[in-house]
mmCIF file of all heavy atoms in Angstrom:
data_model
loop_
_atom_site.group_PDB
_atom_site.id
_atom_site.type_symbol
_atom_site.label_atom_id
_atom_site.label_comp_id
_atom_site.label_asym_id
_atom_site.label_seq_id
_atom_site.Cartn_x
_atom_site.Cartn_y
_atom_site.Cartn_z
ATOM 1 N N TYR A 1 195.665 174.024 154.698
ATOM 2 C CA TYR A 1 196.478 175.177 154.295
ATOM 3 C C TYR A 1 197.108 174.936 152.924
ATOM 4 O O TYR A 1 197.140 175.816 152.073
ATOM 5 C CB TYR A 1 197.598 175.439 155.299
ATOM 6 C CG TYR A 1 197.166 175.907 156.663
ATOM 7 C CD1 TYR A 1 197.910 175.583 157.783
ATOM 8 C CD2 TYR A 1 196.039 176.693 156.841
ATOM 9 C CE1 TYR A 1 197.541 176.014 159.044
ATOM 10 C CE2 TYR A 1 195.667 177.130 158.097
ATOM 11 C CZ TYR A 1 196.420 176.787 159.197
ATOM 12 O OH TYR A 1 196.055 177.227 160.434
ATOM 13 N N SER A 2 197.627 173.737 152.733
ATOM 14 C CA SER A 2 198.289 173.409 151.473
ATOM 15 C C SER A 2 197.338 173.538 150.292
ATOM 16 O O SER A 2 197.715 174.061 149.233
ATOM 17 C CB SER A 2 198.843 171.984 151.514
ATOM 18 O OG SER A 2 199.850 171.881 152.475
ATOM 19 N N LYS A 3 196.113 173.089 150.450
ATOM 20 C CA LYS A 3 195.142 173.169 149.357
ATOM 21 C C LYS A 3 194.828 174.614 148.992
ATOM 22 O O LYS A 3 194.746 174.961 147.809
ATOM 23 C CB LYS A 3 193.870 172.417 149.720
ATOM 24 C CG LYS A 3 194.072 170.921 149.727
ATOM 25 C CD LYS A 3 192.824 170.181 150.099
ATOM 26 C CE LYS A 3 193.105 168.685 150.089
ATOM 27 N NZ LYS A 3 191.912 167.892 150.350
ATOM 28 N N ILE A 4 194.657 175.458 149.989
ATOM 29 C CA ILE A 4 194.359 176.864 149.708
ATOM 30 C C ILE A 4 195.559 177.541 149.050
ATOM 31 O O ILE A 4 195.411 178.298 148.092
ATOM 32 C CB ILE A 4 193.917 177.615 150.975
ATOM 33 C CG1 ILE A 4 192.529 177.134 151.382
ATOM 34 C CG2 ILE A 4 193.909 179.121 150.752
ATOM 35 C CD1 ILE A 4 191.938 177.822 152.578
ATOM 36 N N VAL A 5 196.753 177.262 149.527
ATOM 37 C CA VAL A 5 197.952 177.863 148.942
ATOM 38 C C VAL A 5 198.133 177.397 147.497
ATOM 39 O O VAL A 5 198.500 178.185 146.623
ATOM 40 C CB VAL A 5 199.196 177.550 149.810
ATOM 41 C CG1 VAL A 5 200.478 177.923 149.095
ATOM 42 C CG2 VAL A 5 199.097 178.277 151.148
ATOM 43 N N VAL A 6 197.837 176.143 147.214
ATOM 44 C CA VAL A 6 197.925 175.633 145.840
ATOM 45 C C VAL A 6 196.940 176.371 144.937
ATOM 46 O O VAL A 6 197.283 176.736 143.801
ATOM 47 C CB VAL A 6 197.695 174.103 145.799
ATOM 48 C CG1 VAL A 6 197.423 173.618 144.382
ATOM 49 C CG2 VAL A 6 198.883 173.373 146.378
ATOM 50 N N ILE A 7 195.731 176.614 145.423
ATOM 51 C CA ILE A 7 194.748 177.358 144.626
ATOM 52 C C ILE A 7 195.285 178.747 144.298
ATOM 53 O O ILE A 7 195.220 179.200 143.148
ATOM 54 C CB ILE A 7 193.397 177.439 145.358
ATOM 55 C CG1 ILE A 7 192.744 176.056 145.417
ATOM 56 C CG2 ILE A 7 192.462 178.440 144.667
ATOM 57 C CD1 ILE A 7 191.541 175.969 146.333
ATOM 58 N N PHE A 8 195.832 179.439 145.297
ATOM 59 C CA PHE A 8 196.398 180.764 145.037
ATOM 60 C C PHE A 8 197.578 180.684 144.071
ATOM 61 O O PHE A 8 197.726 181.535 143.185
ATOM 62 C CB PHE A 8 196.819 181.456 146.333
ATOM 63 C CG PHE A 8 195.689 182.142 147.031
ATOM 64 C CD1 PHE A 8 195.208 181.670 148.234
ATOM 65 C CD2 PHE A 8 195.096 183.272 146.488
ATOM 66 C CE1 PHE A 8 194.159 182.297 148.876
ATOM 67 C CE2 PHE A 8 194.049 183.915 147.124
ATOM 68 C CZ PHE A 8 193.571 183.423 148.313
ATOM 69 N N ASN A 9 198.409 179.677 144.222
ATOM 70 C CA ASN A 9 199.547 179.525 143.311
ATOM 71 C C ASN A 9 199.099 179.303 141.872
ATOM 72 O O ASN A 9 199.716 179.826 140.932
ATOM 73 C CB ASN A 9 200.457 178.383 143.763
ATOM 74 C CG ASN A 9 201.349 178.773 144.909
ATOM 75 O OD1 ASN A 9 201.613 179.954 145.123
ATOM 76 N ND2 ASN A 9 201.800 177.794 145.665
ATOM 77 N N ILE A 10 198.035 178.532 141.679
ATOM 78 C CA ILE A 10 197.513 178.316 140.320
ATOM 79 C C ILE A 10 197.059 179.641 139.729
ATOM 80 O O ILE A 10 197.355 179.953 138.575
ATOM 81 C CB ILE A 10 196.371 177.278 140.335
ATOM 82 C CG1 ILE A 10 196.945 175.889 140.612
ATOM 83 C CG2 ILE A 10 195.595 177.296 139.028
ATOM 84 C CD1 ILE A 10 195.903 174.832 140.893
ATOM 85 N N PHE A 11 196.334 180.439 140.517
ATOM 86 C CA PHE A 11 195.867 181.726 140.017
ATOM 87 C C PHE A 11 197.024 182.676 139.738
ATOM 88 O O PHE A 11 197.014 183.407 138.756
ATOM 89 C CB PHE A 11 194.874 182.373 140.992
ATOM 90 C CG PHE A 11 193.484 181.870 140.825
ATOM 91 C CD1 PHE A 11 192.972 180.913 141.685
ATOM 92 C CD2 PHE A 11 192.675 182.357 139.818
ATOM 93 C CE1 PHE A 11 191.678 180.456 141.537
ATOM 94 C CE2 PHE A 11 191.374 181.910 139.654
ATOM 95 C CZ PHE A 11 190.878 180.949 140.523
ATOM 96 N N ILE A 12 198.013 182.680 140.602
ATOM 97 C CA ILE A 12 199.155 183.575 140.409
ATOM 98 C C ILE A 12 199.953 183.155 139.173
ATOM 99 O O ILE A 12 200.366 183.983 138.369
ATOM 100 C CB ILE A 12 200.046 183.591 141.668
ATOM 101 C CG1 ILE A 12 199.321 184.321 142.806
ATOM 102 C CG2 ILE A 12 201.390 184.249 141.383
ATOM 103 C CD1 ILE A 12 199.969 184.150 144.168
ATOM 104 N N THR A 13 200.155 181.853 139.018
ATOM 105 C CA THR A 13 200.979 181.354 137.925
ATOM 106 C C THR A 13 200.257 181.353 136.578
ATOM 107 O O THR A 13 200.839 181.756 135.569
ATOM 108 C CB THR A 13 201.465 179.926 138.239
ATOM 109 O OG1 THR A 13 202.109 179.936 139.519
ATOM 110 C CG2 THR A 13 202.440 179.433 137.190
ATOM 111 N N TYR A 14 199.007 180.919 136.569
ATOM 112 C CA TYR A 14 198.308 180.723 135.296
ATOM 113 C C TYR A 14 197.067 181.602 135.125
ATOM 114 O O TYR A 14 196.366 181.481 134.120
ATOM 115 C CB TYR A 14 197.871 179.261 135.145
ATOM 116 C CG TYR A 14 199.018 178.295 135.226
ATOM 117 C CD1 TYR A 14 199.176 177.466 136.333
ATOM 118 C CD2 TYR A 14 199.961 178.221 134.211
ATOM 119 C CE1 TYR A 14 200.233 176.578 136.418
ATOM 120 C CE2 TYR A 14 201.015 177.334 134.284
ATOM 121 C CZ TYR A 14 201.151 176.519 135.394
ATOM 122 O OH TYR A 14 202.194 175.649 135.478
ATOM 123 N N GLY A 15 196.774 182.455 136.105
ATOM 124 C CA GLY A 15 195.561 183.252 136.062
ATOM 125 C C GLY A 15 195.415 184.113 134.836
ATOM 126 O O GLY A 15 194.307 184.329 134.349
ATOM 127 N N ASP A 16 196.521 184.576 134.302
ATOM 128 C CA ASP A 16 196.432 185.437 133.112
ATOM 129 C C ASP A 16 195.911 184.684 131.888
ATOM 130 O O ASP A 16 195.467 185.300 130.929
ATOM 131 C CB ASP A 16 197.782 186.077 132.812
ATOM 132 C CG ASP A 16 198.888 185.078 132.559
ATOM 133 O OD1 ASP A 16 198.805 183.944 133.084
ATOM 134 O OD2 ASP A 16 199.841 185.422 131.847
ATOM 135 N N THR A 17 195.926 183.354 131.919
ATOM 136 C CA THR A 17 195.434 182.587 130.776
ATOM 137 C C THR A 17 193.930 182.350 130.806
ATOM 138 O O THR A 17 193.329 182.132 129.762
ATOM 139 C CB THR A 17 196.141 181.219 130.678
ATOM 140 O OG1 THR A 17 195.864 180.469 131.859
ATOM 141 C CG2 THR A 17 197.630 181.392 130.485
ATOM 142 N N PHE A 18 193.316 182.392 131.998
ATOM 143 C CA PHE A 18 191.883 182.098 132.033
ATOM 144 C C PHE A 18 191.030 183.157 132.725
ATOM 145 O O PHE A 18 189.804 183.080 132.675
ATOM 146 C CB PHE A 18 191.607 180.719 132.652
ATOM 147 C CG PHE A 18 192.080 180.567 134.066
ATOM 148 C CD1 PHE A 18 191.300 180.957 135.129
ATOM 149 C CD2 PHE A 18 193.308 179.992 134.320
ATOM 150 C CE1 PHE A 18 191.737 180.796 136.428
ATOM 151 C CE2 PHE A 18 193.754 179.819 135.611
ATOM 152 C CZ PHE A 18 192.963 180.221 136.673
ATOM 153 N N LEU A 19 191.654 184.125 133.386
ATOM 154 C CA LEU A 19 190.861 185.205 133.958
ATOM 155 C C LEU A 19 190.387 186.123 132.834
ATOM 156 O O LEU A 19 191.084 186.293 131.827
ATOM 157 C CB LEU A 19 191.680 185.985 134.994
ATOM 158 C CG LEU A 19 191.978 185.216 136.282
ATOM 159 C CD1 LEU A 19 192.933 185.989 137.165
ATOM 160 C CD2 LEU A 19 190.707 184.881 137.038
ATOM 161 N N PRO A 20 189.202 186.717 132.990
ATOM 162 C CA PRO A 20 188.611 187.452 131.870
ATOM 163 C C PRO A 20 189.326 188.729 131.468
ATOM 164 O O PRO A 20 189.192 189.181 130.338
ATOM 165 C CB PRO A 20 187.192 187.762 132.362
ATOM 166 C CG PRO A 20 187.271 187.715 133.838
ATOM 167 C CD PRO A 20 188.335 186.709 134.152
ATOM 168 N N SER A 21 190.110 189.324 132.391
ATOM 169 C CA SER A 21 190.757 190.593 132.053
ATOM 170 C C SER A 21 191.992 190.791 132.928
ATOM 171 O O SER A 21 192.118 190.173 133.988
ATOM 172 C CB SER A 21 189.785 191.755 132.277
ATOM 173 O OG SER A 21 189.508 191.891 133.657
ATOM 174 N N PRO A 22 192.885 191.660 132.488
ATOM 175 C CA PRO A 22 194.046 191.982 133.329
ATOM 176 C C PRO A 22 193.634 192.588 134.677
ATOM 177 O O PRO A 22 194.314 192.400 135.671
ATOM 178 C CB PRO A 22 194.825 192.993 132.498
ATOM 179 C CG PRO A 22 194.414 192.747 131.090
ATOM 180 C CD PRO A 22 192.981 192.293 131.170
ATOM 181 N N GLU A 23 192.493 193.261 134.710
ATOM 182 C CA GLU A 23 192.019 193.845 135.968
ATOM 183 C C GLU A 23 191.691 192.759 136.989
ATOM 184 O O GLU A 23 191.927 192.929 138.182
ATOM 185 C CB GLU A 23 190.788 194.730 135.727
ATOM 186 C CG GLU A 23 191.079 196.007 134.981
ATOM 187 C CD GLU A 23 191.191 195.808 133.469
ATOM 188 O OE1 GLU A 23 190.669 194.790 132.932
ATOM 189 O OE2 GLU A 23 191.815 196.646 132.823
ATOM 190 N N SER A 24 191.156 191.645 136.524
ATOM 191 C CA SER A 24 190.863 190.523 137.421
ATOM 192 C C SER A 24 192.139 189.999 138.054
ATOM 193 O O SER A 24 192.177 189.668 139.239
ATOM 194 C CB SER A 24 190.170 189.391 136.667
ATOM 195 O OG SER A 24 188.946 189.790 136.155
ATOM 196 N N TYR A 25 193.180 189.916 137.252
ATOM 197 C CA TYR A 25 194.484 189.466 137.739
ATOM 198 C C TYR A 25 195.036 190.475 138.746
ATOM 199 O O TYR A 25 195.584 190.102 139.783
ATOM 200 C CB TYR A 25 195.407 189.307 136.536
ATOM 201 C CG TYR A 25 196.625 188.462 136.759
ATOM 202 C CD1 TYR A 25 196.524 187.118 137.068
ATOM 203 C CD2 TYR A 25 197.890 189.008 136.624
ATOM 204 C CE1 TYR A 25 197.639 186.342 137.250
ATOM 205 C CE2 TYR A 25 199.028 188.230 136.805
ATOM 206 C CZ TYR A 25 198.891 186.903 137.115
ATOM 207 O OH TYR A 25 200.008 186.133 137.299
ATOM 208 N N ASP A 26 194.856 191.758 138.458
ATOM 209 C CA ASP A 26 195.312 192.804 139.370
ATOM 210 C C ASP A 26 194.576 192.750 140.699
ATOM 211 O O ASP A 26 195.164 192.953 141.764
ATOM 212 C CB ASP A 26 195.126 194.185 138.752
ATOM 213 C CG ASP A 26 196.037 194.429 137.569
ATOM 214 O OD1 ASP A 26 197.044 193.691 137.428
ATOM 215 O OD2 ASP A 26 195.749 195.351 136.781
ATOM 216 N N TYR A 27 193.269 192.444 140.663
ATOM 217 C CA TYR A 27 192.498 192.343 141.902
ATOM 218 C C TYR A 27 192.993 191.198 142.779
ATOM 219 O O TYR A 27 192.951 191.282 144.001
ATOM 220 C CB TYR A 27 191.015 192.168 141.608
ATOM 221 C CG TYR A 27 190.327 193.430 141.150
ATOM 222 C CD1 TYR A 27 189.530 193.428 140.024
ATOM 223 C CD2 TYR A 27 190.472 194.618 141.852
ATOM 224 C CE1 TYR A 27 188.895 194.581 139.590
ATOM 225 C CE2 TYR A 27 189.845 195.775 141.434
ATOM 226 C CZ TYR A 27 189.060 195.738 140.306
ATOM 227 O OH TYR A 27 188.439 196.894 139.880
ATOM 228 N N LEU A 28 193.441 190.129 142.146
ATOM 229 C CA LEU A 28 194.008 189.019 142.910
ATOM 230 C C LEU A 28 195.196 189.509 143.731
ATOM 231 O O LEU A 28 195.266 189.283 144.942
ATOM 232 C CB LEU A 28 194.442 187.890 141.978
ATOM 233 C CG LEU A 28 195.302 186.784 142.596
ATOM 234 C CD1 LEU A 28 194.549 186.051 143.682
ATOM 235 C CD2 LEU A 28 195.769 185.830 141.515
ATOM 236 N N TYR A 29 196.120 190.190 143.077
ATOM 237 C CA TYR A 29 197.288 190.710 143.789
ATOM 238 C C TYR A 29 196.889 191.747 144.839
ATOM 239 O O TYR A 29 197.450 191.768 145.928
ATOM 240 C CB TYR A 29 198.294 191.309 142.801
ATOM 241 C CG TYR A 29 199.126 190.252 142.142
ATOM 242 C CD1 TYR A 29 198.787 189.776 140.880
ATOM 243 C CD2 TYR A 29 200.227 189.709 142.781
ATOM 244 C CE1 TYR A 29 199.539 188.796 140.271
ATOM 245 C CE2 TYR A 29 200.986 188.724 142.176
ATOM 246 C CZ TYR A 29 200.634 188.269 140.923
ATOM 247 O OH TYR A 29 201.379 187.292 140.335
ATOM 248 N N TYR A 30 195.923 192.570 144.505
ATOM 249 C CA TYR A 30 195.452 193.571 145.459
ATOM 250 C C TYR A 30 194.899 192.893 146.711
ATOM 251 O O TYR A 30 195.231 193.288 147.835
ATOM 252 C CB TYR A 30 194.375 194.458 144.816
ATOM 253 C CG TYR A 30 193.718 195.369 145.806
ATOM 254 C CD1 TYR A 30 194.373 196.510 146.275
ATOM 255 C CD2 TYR A 30 192.456 195.092 146.291
ATOM 256 C CE1 TYR A 30 193.780 197.340 147.210
ATOM 257 C CE2 TYR A 30 191.848 195.913 147.227
ATOM 258 C CZ TYR A 30 192.515 197.038 147.677
ATOM 259 O OH TYR A 30 191.917 197.850 148.606
ATOM 260 N N ASP A 31 194.064 191.866 146.547
ATOM 261 C CA ASP A 31 193.489 191.189 147.700
ATOM 262 C C ASP A 31 194.551 190.470 148.524
ATOM 263 O O ASP A 31 194.492 190.455 149.751
ATOM 264 C CB ASP A 31 192.411 190.200 147.262
ATOM 265 C CG ASP A 31 191.100 190.880 146.946
ATOM 266 O OD1 ASP A 31 190.929 192.054 147.332
ATOM 267 O OD2 ASP A 31 190.237 190.236 146.318
ATOM 268 N N ILE A 32 195.526 189.880 147.860
ATOM 269 C CA ILE A 32 196.605 189.214 148.598
ATOM 270 C C ILE A 32 197.398 190.232 149.411
ATOM 271 O O ILE A 32 197.710 190.007 150.581
ATOM 272 C CB ILE A 32 197.518 188.424 147.638
ATOM 273 C CG1 ILE A 32 196.764 187.206 147.098
ATOM 274 C CG2 ILE A 32 198.809 187.995 148.342
ATOM 275 C CD1 ILE A 32 197.492 186.457 146.016
ATOM 276 N N MET A 33 197.715 191.361 148.811
ATOM 277 C CA MET A 33 198.473 192.383 149.535
ATOM 278 C C MET A 33 197.631 193.035 150.635
ATOM 279 O O MET A 33 198.123 193.323 151.719
ATOM 280 C CB MET A 33 198.985 193.449 148.566
ATOM 281 C CG MET A 33 200.018 192.927 147.589
ATOM 282 S SD MET A 33 201.391 192.056 148.382
ATOM 283 C CE MET A 33 202.103 193.362 149.343
ATOM 284 N N ARG A 34 196.353 193.244 150.353
ATOM 285 C CA ARG A 34 195.463 193.866 151.337
ATOM 286 C C ARG A 34 195.310 192.978 152.570
ATOM 287 O O ARG A 34 195.252 193.462 153.686
ATOM 288 C CB ARG A 34 194.091 194.112 150.690
ATOM 289 C CG ARG A 34 193.085 194.790 151.571
ATOM 290 C CD ARG A 34 191.799 195.063 150.819
ATOM 291 N NE ARG A 34 191.165 193.862 150.322
ATOM 292 C CZ ARG A 34 190.307 193.112 151.019
ATOM 293 N NH1 ARG A 34 189.982 193.468 152.240
ATOM 294 N NH2 ARG A 34 189.771 192.038 150.495
ATOM 295 N N MET A 35 195.298 191.679 152.366
ATOM 296 C CA MET A 35 195.103 190.742 153.467
ATOM 297 C C MET A 35 196.394 189.998 153.810
ATOM 298 O O MET A 35 196.364 188.891 154.320
ATOM 299 C CB MET A 35 193.998 189.744 153.093
ATOM 300 C CG MET A 35 192.647 190.379 152.849
ATOM 301 S SD MET A 35 191.992 191.221 154.307
ATOM 302 C CE MET A 35 191.606 189.827 155.331
ATOM 303 N N ARG A 36 197.518 190.626 153.571
ATOM 304 C CA ARG A 36 198.790 189.934 153.783
ATOM 305 C C ARG A 36 199.010 189.515 155.225
ATOM 306 O O ARG A 36 199.749 188.585 155.504
ATOM 307 C CB ARG A 36 199.951 190.766 153.275
ATOM 308 C CG ARG A 36 200.437 191.854 154.189
ATOM 309 C CD ARG A 36 201.650 192.495 153.574
ATOM 310 N NE ARG A 36 202.832 192.046 154.249
ATOM 311 C CZ ARG A 36 203.617 192.829 154.975
ATOM 312 N NH1 ARG A 36 203.361 194.095 155.078
ATOM 313 N NH2 ARG A 36 204.678 192.337 155.566
ATOM 314 N N GLN A 37 198.339 190.171 156.179
ATOM 315 C CA GLN A 37 198.475 189.803 157.582
ATOM 316 C C GLN A 37 198.027 188.355 157.815
ATOM 317 O O GLN A 37 198.619 187.641 158.619
ATOM 318 C CB GLN A 37 197.660 190.758 158.465
ATOM 319 C CG GLN A 37 197.853 190.528 159.940
ATOM 320 C CD GLN A 37 199.266 190.799 160.394
ATOM 321 O OE1 GLN A 37 199.886 191.750 159.949
ATOM 322 N NE2 GLN A 37 199.783 189.964 161.273
ATOM 323 N N VAL A 38 197.031 187.925 157.090
ATOM 324 C CA VAL A 38 196.560 186.536 157.201
ATOM 325 C C VAL A 38 197.666 185.580 156.776
ATOM 326 O O VAL A 38 197.943 184.583 157.456
ATOM 327 C CB VAL A 38 195.293 186.320 156.342
ATOM 328 C CG1 VAL A 38 194.888 184.853 156.335
ATOM 329 C CG2 VAL A 38 194.154 187.198 156.825
ATOM 330 N N PHE A 39 198.325 185.884 155.674
ATOM 331 C CA PHE A 39 199.408 185.028 155.192
ATOM 332 C C PHE A 39 200.627 185.114 156.101
ATOM 333 O O PHE A 39 201.318 184.118 156.321
ATOM 334 C CB PHE A 39 199.757 185.395 153.746
ATOM 335 C CG PHE A 39 198.631 185.142 152.796
ATOM 336 C CD1 PHE A 39 197.799 186.184 152.401
ATOM 337 C CD2 PHE A 39 198.383 183.881 152.311
ATOM 338 C CE1 PHE A 39 196.748 185.953 151.532
ATOM 339 C CE2 PHE A 39 197.339 183.628 151.443
ATOM 340 C CZ PHE A 39 196.512 184.674 151.057
ATOM 341 N N ASP A 40 200.895 186.293 156.663
ATOM 342 C CA ASP A 40 201.986 186.430 157.623
ATOM 343 C C ASP A 40 201.714 185.589 158.868
ATOM 344 O O ASP A 40 202.623 184.946 159.397
ATOM 345 C CB ASP A 40 202.182 187.893 158.020
ATOM 346 C CG ASP A 40 202.777 188.734 156.917
ATOM 347 O OD1 ASP A 40 203.328 188.170 155.948
ATOM 348 O OD2 ASP A 40 202.692 189.985 157.011
ATOM 349 N N ASN A 41 200.468 185.588 159.326
ATOM 350 C CA ASN A 41 200.108 184.771 160.490
ATOM 351 C C ASN A 41 200.274 183.288 160.194
ATOM 352 O O ASN A 41 200.718 182.530 161.052
ATOM 353 C CB ASN A 41 198.671 185.057 160.926
ATOM 354 C CG ASN A 41 198.515 186.415 161.547
ATOM 355 O OD1 ASN A 41 199.478 187.051 161.957
ATOM 356 N ND2 ASN A 41 197.286 186.886 161.610
ATOM 357 N N LEU A 42 199.920 182.889 159.002
ATOM 358 C CA LEU A 42 200.103 181.496 158.605
ATOM 359 C C LEU A 42 201.581 181.129 158.613
ATOM 360 O O LEU A 42 201.972 180.088 159.127
ATOM 361 C CB LEU A 42 199.508 181.259 157.216
ATOM 362 C CG LEU A 42 199.665 179.862 156.633
ATOM 363 C CD1 LEU A 42 198.944 178.838 157.486
ATOM 364 C CD2 LEU A 42 199.142 179.849 155.213
ATOM 365 N N LEU A 43 202.411 181.994 158.103
ATOM 366 C CA LEU A 43 203.849 181.751 158.088
ATOM 367 C C LEU A 43 204.402 181.675 159.508
ATOM 368 O O LEU A 43 205.218 180.816 159.821
ATOM 369 C CB LEU A 43 204.556 182.850 157.305
ATOM 370 C CG LEU A 43 206.068 182.745 157.195
ATOM 371 C CD1 LEU A 43 206.465 181.472 156.456
ATOM 372 C CD2 LEU A 43 206.627 183.961 156.508
ATOM 373 N N THR A 44 203.939 182.539 160.380
ATOM 374 C CA THR A 44 204.388 182.552 161.776
ATOM 375 C C THR A 44 204.023 181.248 162.468
ATOM 376 O O THR A 44 204.820 180.693 163.231
ATOM 377 C CB THR A 44 203.766 183.742 162.533
ATOM 378 O OG1 THR A 44 204.133 184.938 161.866
ATOM 379 C CG2 THR A 44 204.250 183.797 163.962
#
């Protein structure tokens, strides 16, 4: 779990520096929000 969360944190924190476009960064947030139930279950 820690490794996957670290990967997401890297993308959230630094993704704007290496992702090809702002839309790519937006899709990251969209996918996280769309699948937030998975993260809620992990927290539970």
Side-chain angles (χ1 to χ4, degrees):
Y1 293 149
S2 295
K3 289 179 180 184
I4 289 182
V5 169
V6 165
I7 291 169
F8 277 111
N9 282 338
I10 289 170
F11 277 100
I12 289 168
T13 306
Y14 302 109
D16 59 333
T17 61
F18 60 86
L19 290 173
S21 67
E23 290 80 21
S24 298
Y25 198 63
D26 292 342
Y27 285 131
L28 168 63
Y29 280 97
Y30 172 76
D31 281 345
I32 290 173
M33 294 308 297
R34 182 177 60 87
M35 298 298 289
R36 81 176 256 246
Q37 186 64 40
V38 174
F39 296 98
D40 289 344
N41 289 343
L42 178 63
L43 180 62
T44 302

